[in-house]
Amino acid sequence: MDRHASSLRADRTRGDDAAPCPGDPGSAGSSAADSLVAAVRRAGVIAEDALARAQLVERESGERLVTVLTRLGLVPEARLAEVLAQATRLPLASPADLAQAVVPEALSIAFLRESLCLPLALGAVPLVAVADPFDAFVPEALAFALGRPIARVVAAASDIDAALTRLDRGDGDESALDEAVDGDDLERMRDLVSDAPVIRAVNRLIAEASDLRASDIHVEPTEDRLSVRFRVDGVLRDMPALPPAMKAPLVSRIKVMAGLNIAEKRLPQDGRLRLAVRGRDIDLRVATAPSIHGESVVMRILDRGKLALDFSSLGFDARLTEAMRTAIHKPHGIVLVTGPTGSGKTTTLYAALAELNRPERKLLTVEDPIEYRLPGVIQTQVNPGIGFTFSAALRSFLRQDPDVMMVGEIRDSDTAEIAVQAALTGHMILATLHTNSAAGAVTRLIDMKVEPFLLASVLTGVLAQRLVRRLCPDCRIPYAPDPVTLEQHAPGMVPPPLLYHPGGCARCNGSGYAGRLALLEFLPVTDAVAKLILASADARAIAAAAGSDFRSLFADGIDKAGQGLTSLEEVLRVDSAD
């Protein structure tokens, strides 16, 4: 038994074995469901009408109440586990505790999954994680099967299910689908995607991706399997593949959930779905595309609960935060955020909108697509198929009496011209642009036929950014940097006394990284910069004119590497990509 099991067993001895608590399975006078309801009601984590709705679903569906509460998004799963642990005086197990799970021969994966329980250690008194500590059947059945009483800890149901999946990847749940799938038979496809194994497989896939903090799920059919990859902290990671018989039903199930046409397999399709994962609502943007071995699917996970809408969480220091706030709070002008696809530009603009979102201001956005819903902001998605482009949306927005308008991307001369005209007529415009540097945005707009004298008068500031992986604070390894290496990349730069290598621990799943942060450079349009814009100067001259107010992406990266926030390897990776 390892450290986790020992500590949990010690806690268990002090708690549950010491004395039965009110509502525990050993207490008389109330059923397991009533005890759970009482515990949730005492904790005040759910409104009475929502609790009544959950009980109705429990009765009609036959599902466990502990599952219904989180599946409907009524109670965050982690919070529910805390409430149940406190109510029963049982220790609370983390996902790391469940990594030590074992399955004795006397128990089957199917039984454990159905009972929402997981043995963590065997011995004189086996230690078992349970999702519903009020269910008296589970400890009795386990004690009978193992031939001795058990000790319990509480764990989230999805953590138990994820651990069982890791123990028995490719189990009998999917074996029912091993027969060949006729992709042309639409009625048969509808039957297949309604099967419980397919539904469980899709839900499990999304839950696992959420657990790993993945931003995207890639489902890619090959000749002999269904490949699955998660993009975690910007890097794709291989996951255990699914059997080839899952190709058609799993993809079709995702298409049904996203409201797509399951009969159309020759053309790409885009859709969206929302579901509760771990007791919280997340949105997924779904894109399908035909391939030689079937349809591939990419699901972008848009977790509103993990969206950081303040500059400091995104990697802005105090100096840069103040510069950005000064720029966006001006009564009119254009503030641009530049960088390659997937560099977090839209998230930065959302943070700017959150900063500006006040009752006295009207905020409008035109996006492609809308990634997150922002309360208090009118959001519109472009539809080029009917002529509703960025430029058309901007024209219509000017008649809506806005104070601030966000443009998802300035792609062409028409959009650029309208944005400039809007800024000249007293509006604040926030927009993204694809350039490699902040100063490069000026030359890019001039290439789009924006007159330099107009650009110099409306451009307020330009932010360039890249995303790098954030070092895990629990396992990063300090080392003294090699001055020669830094001198090669940044002549004359004073190296920080310490840099850090990624390590690897349970918190970061062995990668050494946990999350991402932005490397940033902000170009304020000072009088000196405005004069160079009027002269159509190149990007290098414009960056040099910013002087001490300007810090390059690389310099910001070295500073953050010296603080232990990221590694030199990550800084060089995004810097060399330019």
Side-chain angles (χ1 to χ4, degrees):
M1 184 186 307
D2 66 11
R3 177 173 53 83
H4 291 298
S6 300
S7 63
L8 288 172
R9 186 183 293 278
D11 289 344
R12 171 65 170 85
T13 302
R14 290 191 299 270
D16 186 63
D17 287 341
C21 65
D24 202 32
S27 303
S30 81
S31 69
D34 290 341
S35 299
L36 193 151
V37 168
V40 171
R41 183 177 284 127
R42 282 196 304 271
V45 294
I46 184 173
E48 280 297 328
D49 58 341
L51 181 57
R53 193 166 86 243
Q55 291 176 286
L56 178 62
V57 173
E58 175 202 18
R59 290 192 296 271
E60 293 183 350
S61 67
E63 285 186 275
R64 294 169 176 269
L65 183 59
V66 70
T67 303
V68 172
L69 288 171
T70 56
R71 180 173 65 80
L72 296 181
L74 301 176
V75 182
E77 192 172 53
R79 180 69 180 117
L80 180 61
E82 290 176 4
V83 167
L84 298 183
Q86 291 168 2
T88 56
R89 295 194 296 234
L90 288 170
L92 180 64
S94 69
D97 297 321
L98 272 57
Q100 66 192 10
V102 292
V103 179
E105 293 184 1
L107 300 172
S108 69
I109 292 286
F111 168 78
L112 296 175
R113 182 165 279 134
E114 179 67 25
S115 303
L116 292 178
C117 62
L118 180 69
L120 301 184
L122 302 177
V125 181
L127 183 65
V128 180
V130 296
D132 184 358
F134 292 106
D135 186 346
F137 167 76
V138 171
E140 292 174 2
L142 290 172
F144 177 80
L146 298 175
R148 52 199 182 277
I150 66 163
R152 294 172 301 145
V153 296
V154 178
S158 57
D159 291 339
I160 292 175
D161 188 67
L164 288 169
T165 299
R166 289 193 298 271
L167 286 169
D168 201 48
R169 174 69 65 174
D171 64 1
D173 279 352
E174 282 76 33
S175 63
L177 298 169
D178 283 343
E179 70 271 13
V181 176
D182 182 359
D184 296 325
D185 187 345
L186 188 58
E187 290 305 316
R188 178 175 170 76
M189 191 64 67
R190 288 199 179 103
D191 291 340
L192 282 170
V193 302
S194 66
D195 281 351
V198 180
I199 295 172
R200 283 200 298 270
V202 173
N203 292 345
R204 196 177 304 149
L205 195 68
I206 296 171
E208 288 177 359
S210 179
D211 287 343
L212 292 174
R213 310 179 315 278
S215 60
D216 300 86
I217 303 170
H218 292 246
V219 179
E220 302 161 336
T222 63
E223 187 174 4
D224 59 348
R225 62 179 182 165
L226 187 61
S227 174
V228 176
R229 296 191 290 173
F230 294 165
R231 188 175 293 279
V232 181
D233 297 334
V235 178
L236 282 172
R237 179 185 300 181
D238 281 325
M239 304 301 293
L242 297 172
M246 287 288 284
K247 286 182 187 179
L250 187 133
V251 171
S252 293
R253 171 62 185 170
I254 295 171
K255 290 170 73 174
V256 166
M257 294 171 70
L260 304 180
N261 183 358
I262 64 173
E264 178 55 75
K265 301 176 182 174
R266 301 164 298 172
L267 296 173
Q269 296 186 68
D270 294 305
R272 197 178 186 112
L273 64 98
R274 171 174 291 183
L275 73 163
V277 175
R278 308 294 189 251
R280 65 179 187 274
D281 286 336
I282 65 170
D283 292 323
L284 290 100
R285 204 170 70 217
V286 178
T288 68
S291 74
I292 190 172
H293 295 298
E295 288 182 284
S296 68
V297 179
V298 176
M299 291 184 280
R300 168 67 57 89
I301 299 175
L302 305 171
D303 189 346
R304 182 66 174 78
K306 295 180 180 177
L307 180 64
L309 289 182
D310 63 281
F311 292 127
S312 60
S313 299
L314 300 177
F316 286 66
D317 59 21
R319 178 191 63 84
L320 193 54
T321 298
E322 183 59 30
M324 190 69 175
R325 283 176 173 162
T326 299
I328 64 176
H329 278 285
K330 290 187 176 180
H332 55 81
I334 297 178
V335 175
L336 297 174
V337 180
T338 76
T341 300
S343 59
K345 300 186 297 297
T346 302
T347 302
T348 297
L349 288 185
Y350 281 166
L353 288 173
E355 176 81 19
L356 295 169
N357 193 3
R358 300 291 183 272
E360 63 270 17
R361 295 193 184 103
K362 182 166 185 175
L363 281 67
L364 301 173
T365 76
V366 52
E367 306 172 56
D368 183 24
I370 297 170
E371 295 197 5
Y372 295 96
R373 273 76 169 181
L374 302 176
V377 180
I378 298 175
Q379 297 175 266
T380 306
Q381 183 164 320
V382 299
N383 188 347
I386 60 173
F388 190 62
T389 60
F390 280 113
S391 56
L394 268 178
R395 284 194 185 93
S396 67
F397 279 4
L398 290 174
R399 296 188 289 272
Q400 295 289 317
D401 188 29
D403 295 292
V404 180
M405 292 187 287
M406 186 193 107
V407 184
E409 183 184 347
I410 296 180
R411 296 177 178 173
D412 51 50
S413 300
D414 196 19
T415 306
E417 179 184 351
I418 299 169
V420 169
Q421 293 298 326
L424 286 170
T425 55
H427 302 88
M428 172 53 67
I429 306 298
L430 309 176
T432 72
L433 193 66
H434 282 286
T435 62
N436 288 330
S437 65
V442 173
T443 55
R444 177 79 178 109
L445 288 172
I446 293 175
D447 289 343
M448 288 183 176
K449 310 304 181 186
V450 176
E451 293 291 345
F453 74 92
L454 293 176
L455 187 58
S457 64
V458 299
L459 192 60
T460 301
V462 184
L463 180 79
Q465 66 181 64
R466 302 287 187 279
L467 289 181
V468 293
R469 290 183 289 175
R470 188 188 293 267
L471 281 170
C472 176
D474 290 353
C475 62
R476 62 189 180 187
I477 304 169
Y479 70 97
D482 178 12
V484 176
T485 302
L486 282 179
E487 182 69 21
Q488 291 174 348
H489 294 278
M493 178 177 287
V494 178
L498 282 178
L499 292 176
Y500 297 81
H501 283 309
C505 64
R507 173 177 174 176
C508 60
N509 295 304
S511 69
Y513 296 97
R516 291 193 286 177
L517 78 159
L519 304 188
L520 306 155
E521 66 178 29
F522 183 73
L523 177 72
V525 181
T526 60
D527 290 341
V529 170
K531 289 178 182 178
L532 289 176
I533 294 175
L534 282 169
S536 300
D538 63 22
R540 191 181 301 274
I542 290 172
S548 60
D549 292 332
F550 180 78
R551 182 173 63 178
S552 69
L553 281 166
F554 185 75
D556 188 53
I558 293 300
D559 181 57
K560 285 170 178 169
Q563 297 175 48
L565 299 176
T566 189
S567 64
L568 178 61
E569 293 84 357
E570 280 293 291
V571 175
L572 295 177
R573 177 176 66 85
V574 300
D575 185 66
S576 62
D578 296 340

